[in-house]
Amino acid sequence: MNRSFGGFGLAQIFSLIGLLFVAGVLSVLGYRLTPPGGPPTVRSRLLPRRPDPAALRPANLVLITIDGLRADRVGVYGPRGASVTRHIDALARDGFRFEQMVTASPSTFPAHAAMMTGLMPTITGAVSPIGGRLPESRGTLAEAIRAAGLRTAAFVGSGALGRPSGLERGFETFDAPRATHRPATLRSLVVRPAGEVIDAARAWADDNFRTRFFLWVQIADLLVSDRAPSSYRRLHDDPYDATLAYADAELGRLLNRLDSLGVLDHTIVVIASSHGVGLGEHGESAAGAYLYDSTVLVPVLMRVPHWAARHRSVPEQVRGIDLLPTLVELLDIDAGMRTQGTSLVPLLDPGGRLPALPAVVTTAYQEVFLGGSVLEALRARGWKYIDGLTPELYDLRRDPEETRNLAPSQPDRVEDMRAALVEATGRGVIGGAREAPPEPRMLRLLESGLAELRRERTEIARKALADLGDRLDADHPGGGGATNGVPPAVLALLGAALRVDGHPEEALPVNERALRGLPVGGGFPGGRLLEGFLRAEVAACQEAMGDRNGAVASYRAALEIVPDDPGIRATLAGLLLERGDVADSITEYRAVLARAPGEADVLAGLGRALLRGGDAPAAAQWLRQAAQSAPSDPDVYLDLARASEELDRKAEAVRAYREFLARSEPARIEERRLAEERLKALERSAGTIP
């Protein structure tokens, strides 16, 4: 008998039930395979394949890296209301969006070093969050691109990426924050506003757009997320959103300028976050201490000319170390470098595939600042393993917020991932004894102190760091060696804050205590560099206390450890000039310029030393260059005016005196009075000079 129900036969009903069952199974599988952050955009197979390499060969490259940029605050990664990233979103709509890009480190310098070398921090040793430096033996993306004949320029906002970092190699123009006035121990915390970075990059583009170029622009404002201009703070209640809207608008100014110059149509543009920032997750309000996805899973967007892609999503996990091989392939250049990264170009093709790319993440933040351990993590196949005193294991498909540690219940998976991590990192290149993680109150004090140092509110920072030191002291009663359990890096920050606040006599013993607490050879990532910085701080304290001879000896001791540090050498050159050692000062300034050509402070210092040494023609030459590099510095014009007078160049002297008076502070009463007198005398002697 053929029974039917409402027009449906039994066979049809069973077929429908079967279809529903299959659909249910597929939906479960789809959930388990969905990457953290939600389902990816489906790849369209209607998009054209990669263009002829000849179409890409003349391309330029613009790489924009942003510290602290979180994917969940970028509109195209999943709107949370109105997006504040209008210009970033617009670029993404014509390009590729990587859903799961994993940085090599949640700290600025190690993350950028990995991107620029294609090597993990455990291989290069570029791990330290303070005073890190890339070894000379490691080639960089800029060196490879410059060797291929492109012009290269970098404009960075973070002091952690300045010339002492080694990342300037390969750049013909390298424009970093002017941080020589800051202690060496604090330079990595200097942040230059995005507007200044973009102004300099736009000016360079105006002069160089007619030739092939590589332009790197780095924005660090999100690390000081309450420093956005007031106009943005009025529009956004959330300080992070206000700062992000400001950074996005500044990036829009750069992209609009490149568009108006007619170069965007043949320019590869990459916007990449170097690391995220904690906004309260896991008790973290900054970045570096932990290895959760809030700081290590970052947004990366790429627009490639002649490669049509409308809002293309790339769901596969990729890594920061993969950017270098990807970009050199797109530019069709032979980098001649061995990297650990894999070119992602196959993933830009519709239907393209790559083998799974496990990601290793490393941070030395806890070891350097809190006496803990280097942390390492492996993110692979939808799982995250964090190798700490207490192992952590997370199923990122089911628990993207990393709230349920499955390590106790899955010991076999923990062992498998630990073995894979050891193999990937070269069998514990960094390693070390595991220490307990910091208490939340300790981390909050450290984060507060670092944040205030970035804002240059050193008095507030000093109190937080002193409180942190007292609490760490209390945890090591009656022991802990020279520092009584307080990490030397914390003492270094405290000593620098004391000196900047005008208390060198208090800062000196703190710095000396930190030096005594350093293990022989440094002992931890960046420890040897920190020793050099601390010796420079001892010198600065001695100088401030009137002991110039002791300061010179201490600066020279610092330079034996960090001979390529331009800031310390320039400071020594200035001190030698003040002491009357003009010839030695000139020698040191020339040595700095060989390492850091174009630095305005150094150009001005050399000009000043030559003027003191009686070589007015050479002095004027260097001072003119300094005025071009730093047109807002009034002292350069005052020295240039004096050199011009000695050369009897009255018109140039008049213009320089006028510039000094226009730019100097009214409080500089005596200098302004003398400048006005000289200006009037010059005008009387030759009539009114235009």
Side-chain angles (χ1 to χ4, degrees):
M1 178 171 25
N2 184 19
R3 306 179 94 182
S4 65
F5 297 86
F8 288 92
L10 281 175
Q12 292 169 307
I13 291 174
F14 286 134
S15 296
L16 179 61
I17 292 172
L19 288 171
L20 291 173
F21 175 78
V22 171
V25 171
L26 290 175
S27 67
V28 171
L29 287 174
Y31 168 76
R32 290 185 60 78
L33 295 174
T34 297
T41 303
V42 177
R43 288 186 173 186
S44 170
R45 299 219 176 234
L46 300 177
L47 294 172
R49 295 258 175 199
R50 71 178 68 181
D52 184 331
L56 285 175
R57 191 167 293 120
N60 307 307
L61 172 61
V62 173
L63 173 61
I64 300 167
T65 59
I66 307 175
D67 287 349
L69 179 62
R70 294 171 55 114
D72 61 357
R73 296 299 181 100
V74 178
V76 294
Y77 278 85
R80 45 181 290 278
S83 172
V84 301
T85 53
R86 181 166 61 93
H87 296 96
I88 296 176
D89 295 346
L91 182 132
R93 283 192 288 271
D94 290 326
F96 301 90
R97 180 178 80 244
F98 291 90
E99 297 285 352
Q100 294 190 83
M101 174 70 81
V102 183
T103 184
S105 173
S107 293
T108 297
F109 167 68
H112 280 90
M115 281 192 282
M116 294 298 187
T117 62
L119 297 169
M120 292 185 297
T122 49
I123 300 302
T124 62
V127 180
S128 178
I130 180 172
R133 178 168 178 79
L134 183 69
E136 296 284 342
S137 59
R138 302 301 180 181
T140 68
L141 176 63
E143 288 177 310
I145 293 178
R146 185 175 181 182
L150 279 70
R151 301 296 302 272
T152 55
F155 299 88
V156 303
S158 171
L161 306 176
R163 289 186 181 277
S165 73
L167 292 178
E168 90 292 351
R169 298 204 308 269
F171 288 105
E172 298 168 280
T173 299
F174 189 83
D175 188 327
R178 297 178 65 191
T180 53
H181 67 291
R182 302 286 284 167
T185 45
L186 302 186
R187 280 199 311 245
S188 62
L189 302 174
V190 174
V191 173
R192 179 167 59 153
E196 293 183 14
V197 176
I198 297 301
D199 283 345
R202 280 164 52 106
W204 183 88
D206 288 345
D207 294 333
N208 293 275
F209 72 93
R210 294 179 181 85
T211 185
R212 287 190 73 194
F213 63 82
F214 166 35
L215 172 62
W216 172 33
V217 174
Q218 189 264 344
I219 302 297
D221 298 68
L222 289 171
L223 299 180
V224 193
S225 61
D226 59 355
R227 208 176 66 173
S230 57
S231 58
Y232 291 90
R233 294 199 301 271
R234 287 194 296 268
L235 291 173
H236 304 281
D237 294 332
D238 185 328
Y240 184 93
D241 279 351
T243 309
L244 178 53
Y246 165 61
D248 178 76
E250 292 300 322
L251 293 182
R253 286 204 305 125
L254 174 62
L255 295 174
N256 289 339
R257 176 60 62 88
L258 294 173
D259 192 24
S260 69
L261 294 172
V263 299
L264 269 189
D265 287 342
H266 51 276
T267 297
I268 299 166
V269 180
V270 180
I271 298 177
S273 173
S274 59
H275 61 80
V277 65
L279 296 176
E281 301 93 341
H282 302 278
E284 190 172 21
S285 298
Y290 301 126
L291 296 178
Y292 301 110
D293 274 4
S294 53
T295 61
V296 305
L297 188 65
V298 297
V300 175
L301 306 156
M302 183 181 298
R303 179 184 178 275
V304 184
H306 312 298
W307 204 321
R310 295 292 296 175
H311 206 59
R312 269 279 302 281
S313 169
V314 179
E316 290 87 350
Q317 175 172 291
V318 297
R319 306 154 308 179
I321 59 174
D322 299 325
L323 280 177
L324 184 147
T326 303
L327 295 174
V328 297
E329 180 175 349
L330 288 173
L331 291 170
D332 192 28
I333 64 175
D334 181 10
M337 298 164 56
R338 296 185 62 184
T339 77
Q340 295 173 292
T342 298
S343 172
L344 305 178
V345 170
L347 296 181
L348 306 186
D349 271 334
R353 294 290 182 266
L354 278 177
L357 299 174
V360 174
V361 194
T362 307
T363 180
Y365 185 100
Q366 289 190 26
E367 182 176 50
V368 170
F369 289 124
L370 293 169
S373 300
V374 170
L375 287 182
E376 294 171 311
L378 177 68
R379 197 180 191 277
R381 302 184 301 277
W383 291 84
K384 164 85 74 65
Y385 168 68
I386 301 175
D387 190 31
L389 183 69
T390 301
E392 297 176 64
L393 179 70
Y394 299 100
D395 182 347
L396 298 174
R397 300 183 183 103
R398 295 178 178 274
D399 180 24
E401 303 300 322
E402 299 166 287
T403 60
R404 297 186 297 277
N405 181 9
L406 302 178
S409 62
Q410 300 203 33
D412 291 343
R413 188 181 294 274
V414 167
E415 286 306 312
D416 288 345
M417 295 197 74
R418 176 183 289 131
L421 176 62
V422 169
E423 181 179 1
T425 56
R427 299 205 152 271
V429 171
I430 298 178
R434 295 293 176 191
E435 301 290 343
E439 293 184 22
R441 61 176 181 168
M442 304 294 193
L443 180 59
R444 285 195 297 271
L445 284 170
L446 176 59
E447 289 177 339
S448 174
L450 292 172
E452 297 301 341
L453 287 172
R454 284 195 176 95
R455 298 183 182 99
E456 300 196 18
R457 298 195 301 208
T458 48
E459 182 178 356
I460 303 173
R462 176 166 55 87
K463 293 176 180 177
L465 292 168
D467 193 5
L468 174 63
D470 290 343
R471 291 176 184 271
L472 289 167
D473 269 342
D475 285 348
H476 297 80
T483 65
N484 199 34
V486 183
V490 170
L491 292 173
L493 296 175
L494 177 58
L498 282 164
R499 181 174 70 81
V500 172
D501 264 356
H503 305 287
E505 70 288 346
E506 296 179 45
L508 182 59
V510 172
N511 289 319
E512 290 174 335
R513 178 184 170 196
L515 274 171
R516 291 194 300 272
L518 282 172
V520 176
F524 59 85
R528 183 64 172 160
L529 285 170
L530 182 59
E531 180 184 351
F533 291 170
L534 279 165
R535 293 195 183 282
E537 266 305 286
V538 167
C541 292
Q542 292 170 323
E543 181 181 359
M545 296 166 65
D547 182 8
R548 289 183 173 179
N549 292 335
V552 168
S554 295
Y555 279 129
R556 294 201 184 281
L559 288 169
E560 289 181 7
I561 300 170
V562 284
D564 292 328
D565 189 287
I568 296 175
R569 195 170 293 278
T571 305
L572 171 61
L575 176 58
L576 289 169
L577 183 60
E578 291 179 12
R579 203 175 69 165
D581 299 331
V582 178
D584 287 347
S585 175
I586 292 172
T587 299
E588 294 294 347
Y589 274 126
R590 291 192 185 280
V592 180
L593 282 176
R595 182 72 179 79
E599 290 289 303
D601 292 338
V602 181
L603 293 169
L606 178 56
R608 198 169 295 122
L610 289 166
L611 186 61
R612 284 273 301 275
D615 191 348
Q621 173 191 344
W622 292 109
L623 290 165
R624 290 189 199 100
Q625 290 187 40
Q628 291 176 351
S629 297
S632 61
D633 185 352
D635 291 323
V636 171
Y637 295 103
L638 188 59
D639 291 320
L640 179 57
R642 291 165 177 163
S644 300
E645 278 202 82
E646 287 197 25
L647 295 171
D648 200 29
R649 295 173 179 165
K650 295 181 180 179
E652 184 176 20
V654 165
R655 287 192 295 271
Y657 278 126
R658 287 174 178 170
E659 291 287 353
F660 169 76
L661 291 169
R663 299 171 191 276
S664 60
E665 295 292 329
R668 301 178 64 171
I669 298 172
E670 185 61 22
E671 289 170 303
R672 289 178 62 85
R673 182 185 65 78
L674 292 173
E676 288 170 350
E677 289 179 358
R678 292 304 310 146
L679 179 59
K680 290 177 181 177
L682 287 168
E683 289 175 336
R684 281 197 303 268
S685 67
T688 301
I689 299 175

